[in-house]
Amino acid sequence: NKVATRKATYCPTQMGKCPVTCDNCTSAPTTSPTKAPTKSPTTSPSKAPSKSPTKPPTPSPSTGPCADDLTHTFVLNYDNSIAVNCSWITKNMKQVATRKATYCPTQMGKCPVTCDNCTSAPTTSPTKAPTKSPTTSPSEAPSARPCVDSGTYQWLNGLGVSVDCSWLTKNPLKTATRIANWCPNTDVSFSCCSTCQI
């Protein structure tokens, strides 16, 4: 066998340069280079960009202030031809309590400020600033029309007779007494605004 003869002849001097041919390869150098390059590139780039963009966009809740609906109108109980807005309820200081008792049970949803119906906590502080401007300028709407006595409104006087606005001044001797007795009435004063001068 020439292989065995040649290995026996030359390998003692050539095994350093021909380690495979001369069966001179040990296990130590073959294992170390195979594992080193496999771990470094796999862990570092995977976790860096995952945390920053998760929390920023959280919307803040918004609460609108409690305010009367400036476009809302309603008709009077005694004369459905007359439409008024929320500010009418507090326009005549002498009649505020009566008007609130009469109209707020049905109008408090549209007139929460006028009818003292602002109940939620966030609306208490902002309601003081806006309540002054809406109550002065929009109140001109119902009063912008000429103050003319209603031609359809009637009520029963103390004698049980149905009378209208002209009755207040029909008898010059009783005009002052009738105005003093009847004009403080909310419905009479509004429907006979010219005669009652309100």
Side-chain angles (χ1 to χ4, degrees):
N1 189 344
K2 292 183 179 181
V3 173
T5 304
R6 290 176 181 175
K7 281 185 177 184
T9 305
Y10 297 102
C11 279
T13 59
Q14 303 302 323
M15 63 175 61
K17 298 292 183 180
C18 308
V20 175
T21 303
C22 293
D23 302 321
N24 194 36
C25 293
T26 60
S27 59
T30 58
T31 56
S32 59
T34 57
K35 294 182 181 179
T38 58
K39 292 183 180 180
S40 59
T42 57
T43 56
S44 58
S46 60
K47 294 182 180 179
S50 62
K51 292 183 179 179
S52 59
T54 56
K55 291 185 180 179
T58 55
S60 59
S62 61
T63 357
C66 178
D68 291 346
D69 184 347
L70 302 183
T71 62
H72 174 65
T73 58
F74 57 94
V75 296
L76 301 181
N77 292 346
Y78 57 84
D79 190 345
N80 60 12
S81 67
I82 300 176
V84 295
N85 60 15
C86 299
S87 64
W88 172 83
I89 295 174
T90 56
K91 185 179 178 184
N92 185 335
M93 296 305 296
K94 294 180 181 179
Q95 304 297 333
V96 171
T98 305
R99 291 177 181 179
K100 281 187 176 182
T102 303
Y103 295 100
C104 279
T106 56
Q107 303 303 325
M108 64 174 62
K110 295 291 186 179
C111 309
V113 175
T114 299
C115 293
D116 305 316
N117 195 39
C118 294
T119 54
S120 59
T123 59
T124 52
S125 58
T127 51
K128 292 183 180 178
T131 51
K132 291 183 180 178
S133 55
T135 53
T136 54
S137 55
S139 62
E140 299 298 327
S143 62
R145 66 180 179 84
C147 185
V148 179
D149 292 347
S150 171
T152 58
Y153 175 67
Q154 293 185 338
W155 75 96
L156 296 178
N157 65 8
L159 300 175
V161 178
S162 180
V163 295
D164 57 17
C165 297
S166 65
W167 172 81
L168 294 170
T169 56
K170 192 172 184 180
N171 186 336
L173 299 176
K174 296 183 179 181
T175 297
T177 304
R178 288 176 179 176
I179 288 177
N181 289 339
W182 291 102
C183 282
N185 180 284
T186 305
D187 295 342
V188 173
S189 66
F190 186 80
S191 296
C192 307
C193 60
S194 178
T195 300
C196 292
Q197 297 181 351
I198 295 187

